[in-house]
Amino acid sequence: MTAARPPRADAQRNRARVLAAAEQVFAQRGSSASTEEVARAAGVGVGTVFRHFPTKEALLQALIVQRLTRIAADAREQAASPDPAAFFDFFAAVVGDSASKLELVDALAELGGDPTEAIAPVAEELTAAVAVLLEQAQQDGAVRKDVGVAHVIALLAGASQARRYAADERPLAVILDGLRAPNAE
């Protein structure tokens, strides 16, 4: 049995261009954006888009995975920071950037895709990265000890949804205050 060869360098570049263009196009036009628009924005033919992503659903899933992979990388980076506020900075940044991620999830759901299935490839990586960041913040005395990673993930999801309805940052501030350890500044 032969091992699968990695994609050629030009194919990898084209895939990255398609994903970057799709992120912009869907952010601007929402779920009504077509794969043809994505191809034009990427400077490739529509066949190239379909070669990498056979359906619009597959493209949206790849965008969601890419976004969550970046969030996991950010969590790992923040965990390495000596700043005790790193956990709160991470949390606020994820919630602050949630609108476009939620639009992707909504667009996938509109097409009949399962957002839970879409995140499966990166869910474990994201949870592990957030767990390390949480543990570091708890060791620093910044976050309550009775908070687990599942709580943080649920609060991130809830705060991201709340952002859609709140006219200001108050809900986020309330959540962050609730996460702070007693006697933490």
Side-chain angles (χ1 to χ4, degrees), residues 96-120:
D97 190 39
S98 64
S100 58
K101 180 179 62 72
L102 291 174
E103 288 173 13
L104 293 173
V105 169
D106 291 346
L108 179 60
E110 284 176 23
L111 292 173
D114 181 3
T116 304
E117 183 182 306
I119 66 168

Side-chain angles (χ1 to χ4, degrees), residues 48-119:
T48 298
V49 174
F50 285 120
R51 194 171 308 113
H52 293 283
F53 309 102
T55 64
K56 188 174 175 180
E57 181 181 327
L59 178 56
L60 289 167
Q61 286 178 333
L63 286 171
I64 292 167
V65 167
Q66 176 180 271
R67 177 70 59 90
L68 294 177
T69 299
R70 284 195 308 248
I71 292 171
D74 187 40
R76 286 189 297 274
E77 184 179 312
Q78 293 288 356
S81 169
D83 183 359
F87 173 87
F88 299 102
D89 293 343
F90 166 80
F91 197 105
V94 169
V95 172
D97 190 39
S98 64
S100 58
K101 180 179 62 72
L102 291 174
E103 288 173 13
L104 293 173
V105 169
D106 291 346
L108 179 60
E110 284 176 23
L111 292 173
D114 181 3
T116 304
E117 183 182 306
I119 66 168

Side-chain angles (χ1 to χ4, degrees), residues 78-79 81-88 127-153 155 176 178-184:
Q78 293 288 356
S81 169
D83 183 359
F87 173 87
F88 299 102
T127 301
V130 172
V132 171
L133 178 59
L134 173 62
E135 183 179 322
Q136 183 64 44
Q138 289 172 324
Q139 288 174 358
D140 291 344
V143 174
R144 299 164 45 149
K145 298 272 188 199
D146 63 338
V147 174
V149 70
H151 302 124
V152 173
I153 299 294
L155 288 169
L176 293 178
L179 288 166
R180 289 187 205 290
N183 305 324

